Amino acid sequence: MSAHTPRPETMSGLVETDQRSREIFRQIVDGYLTTGEPVGSRNIARLLPMALSPATVRNVMTDLELAGLIYAPHTSAGRLPTERGLRFFVDAMMEVGNLTSDERARIEAQIRVAASNRNLDQTLTEASALLSGLSRGAGVVVTTKADVRLKHIEFVRLDPARALVVLVSEDGTVENRLLALPPGLPASALSEAANFLNARILGKTLAELRSEIGGQRALMERELDVLTARLVESGIATQAGPGSDRHLIVRGQANLLDDLRAQEDLERIRMLFGDLETQTDVIDLLTRAEDGDGVRIFIGSENKLFSMSGSSMVAAPFRDAEQRIVGVVGIIGPTRLNYARIVPMVDYTAKVVGRLLDGSR
C-alpha cells in the first residue's frame, strides 16, 4: 500500500525534531480530524503522554507554525494543520488501521450480490455506494468502457437523418449512441449492417471489432453496398472527446452535507459539488491513481480540482483477469477525512472488485 512519497521540503519541519514536537503535532492533527476544531495549548498539555506546561506547548506550536505545518485560523490560541502538515502526517506519521472482520465481510457480501447478475455497472455502482456509506464521504468509481466485451448491436432509426446504436455487453451493460445516417440510406441497410456486425461481435471489445472489420474491408465491400458499409464503420467508431472511453460513477454526495459546522463549510461543499459535476476533471484525477499499485491520497490544493473546495481524495486502482488496471475506486470528502480508516477501506474494496473481475470467487 502506498501514498505519495514524502517530499523533503514537506518533512523539513519535523524530520529532526524531538518526540514532544511530534506528539504535539499529532494532537493538533487528531483534534482536527475528529472535530474540525482548533486545538489549544491547555488541551494539548492535558492530553500529552509527557508532562509539559501550556507555555512549553505554545513554544513548540510556534516552531511548528514557522515550519508551515500548523496555523491559527483566527486570534484564538488554537491551531489547525495546514495542507502541508496533513501531507506530512499522512506520509510520515499516520498509523493505518485494519478493517474489522465484519467490515470486510460486509464489503465482500454487498459487492458479490451486485456482481451476481454479471452487470459490471451495477457492481461498480454498489462499490461506490458502499464506500460512501462506510466513510460518510462521496464514493467515486471510474472505469474504462473500451475493455467491455460485446454481445450484440442494434441500429434503431429515429428519423430519416438519425439512428440509435444500441451496444449490449456481455456483462449486461447497455450503451446507446446517437448516429447521423448517410443521406439516401435504404431502410434495409440498418438490419444488414447489424447482421454483418453481430456475426463477428461476440466476445470482442470495440477496439478488437474495429480492427477485424478494418482487415475485412474487401469482404465488406463485396457483401454490402457503399452506404451500408459506411453505416457499419460509423456504428463502431470511437466516440470523440476527452475521457469518452471513461465512465464515472459518484454516489453519496448528500453525505457531505451531514457535518457542516459553519457557513464557510457550506460554501466549500457547494464548490465540491461543482467539482464533481465537472466529470472530465474528476476522471483525470482518478486516472492519476492508476500510476503504480496501492492507495493514492490527494490533499486539497495539491490538485487544482480541489484548490477551491479544500477537499481530499483517497483512491486505489483495480485490475481485470489479465492484471490490467481497468478502473479506480475512491472516496472524496473534506480534508479532515479519517485517512487511517479510509485507506484500508478503499484498498480492500479495490481488491474485492478486482477478484470478481478476474473470476476468482
Side-chain angles (χ1 to χ4, degrees):
M1 189 181 302
S2 68
H4 283 291
T5 303
R7 296 186 297 271
E9 68 269 20
T10 305
M11 299 185 66
S12 61
L14 282 185
V15 74
E16 295 179 355
T17 56
D18 56 23
Q19 186 63 25
R20 71 180 186 179
S21 299
R22 296 174 75 90
E23 283 298 330
I24 289 168
F25 178 64
R26 183 187 297 279
Q27 292 298 334
I28 292 170
V29 174
D30 285 347
Y32 169 69
L33 296 181
T34 303
T35 69
E37 299 294 331
V39 184
S41 55
R42 289 186 183 280
N43 282 338
I44 291 175
R46 285 197 294 267
L47 294 168
L48 288 173
M50 69 278 289
L52 293 177
S53 70
T56 303
V57 172
R58 281 194 294 275
N59 288 338
V60 174
M61 289 167 71
T62 299
D63 292 339
L64 293 172
E65 196 165 356
L66 289 171
L69 299 173
I70 63 173
Y71 73 103
H74 39 73
T75 54
S76 73
R79 297 295 185 275
L80 292 172
T82 61
E83 287 181 0
R84 183 183 180 188
L86 281 176
R87 169 54 62 194
F88 174 79
F89 176 80
V90 163
D91 287 341
M93 295 179 66
M94 183 174 73
E95 297 174 5
V96 175
N98 290 315
L99 296 179
T100 66
S101 55
D102 285 348
E103 288 170 330
R104 287 172 177 262
R106 178 181 169 189
I107 291 171
E108 188 105 19
Q110 288 188 225
I111 295 178
R112 281 185 183 279
V113 167
S116 61
N117 64 4
R118 312 297 294 174
N119 186 310
L120 178 62
D121 260 19
Q122 192 171 331
T123 303
L124 297 177
T125 298
E126 181 60 35
S128 175
L130 181 65
L131 284 174
S132 169
L134 289 170
S135 68
R136 307 308 300 162
V140 289
V141 176
V142 67
T143 187
T144 304
K145 291 189 293 189
D147 288 330
V148 171
R149 302 209 167 268
L150 300 168
K151 180 180 179 182
H152 185 73
I153 189 169
E154 201 68 51
F155 293 90
V156 180
R157 189 189 285 269
L158 300 175
D159 56 46
R162 295 179 309 156
L164 203 61
V165 184
V166 182
L167 291 164
V168 182
S169 304
E170 285 187 341
D171 63 10
T173 342
V174 178
E175 182 185 348
N176 297 320
R177 298 180 176 185
L178 202 58
L179 181 67
L181 296 177
L185 187 76
S188 60
L190 295 176
S191 56
E192 288 174 14
N195 291 338
F196 184 85
L197 287 169
N198 283 322
R200 296 160 176 80
I201 201 170
L202 191 61
K204 296 185 177 70
T205 66
L206 265 181
E208 290 168 347
L209 185 60
R210 278 195 300 272
S211 175
E212 180 177 324
I213 297 299
Q216 296 181 354
R217 187 171 300 277
L219 170 66
M220 185 168 66
E221 289 173 354
R222 282 199 307 272
E223 288 192 15
L224 306 172
D225 62 42
V226 175
L227 289 181
T228 308
R230 277 175 57 190
L231 180 63
V232 166
E233 292 178 334
S234 300
I236 58 173
T238 305
Q239 284 179 297
S244 62
D245 65 338
R246 294 280 175 160
H247 178 42
L248 177 69
I249 300 168
V250 182
R251 289 293 180 273
Q253 297 100 308
N255 290 338
L256 301 171
L257 296 169
D258 288 347
D259 197 22
L260 300 182
R261 297 176 182 275
Q263 181 61 36
E264 57 266 26
D265 279 354
L266 180 58
E267 188 56 33
R268 178 182 57 75
I269 293 301
R270 282 179 180 151
M271 289 179 182
L272 177 55
F273 280 5
D275 292 341
L276 292 176
E277 287 176 8
T278 312
Q279 292 202 5
T280 302
D281 289 342
V282 180
I283 288 171
D284 288 347
L285 179 57
L286 280 160
T287 303
R288 285 177 54 192
E290 295 181 354
D291 298 336
D293 289 326
V295 179
R296 296 285 303 275
I297 300 171
F298 303 88
I299 298 175
S301 58
E302 291 177 349
N303 183 271
K304 65 181 178 65
L305 176 63
F306 297 144
S307 60
M308 298 300 292
S309 67
S311 304
S312 289
M313 183 177 79
V314 180
F318 55 88
R319 298 173 181 272
D320 65 7
E322 284 77 44
Q323 290 305 297
R324 296 172 301 176
I325 291 175
V326 291
V328 178
V329 298
I331 289 168
I332 294 176
T335 52
R336 62 184 194 85
L337 285 171
N338 186 341
Y339 299 98
R341 170 174 158 73
I342 286 173
V343 164
M345 190 184 299
V346 169
D347 186 53
Y348 189 69
T349 301
K351 285 181 168 62
V352 171
V353 171
R355 285 204 302 271
L356 291 172
L357 289 181
D358 73 15
S360 55
R361 303 279 169 163

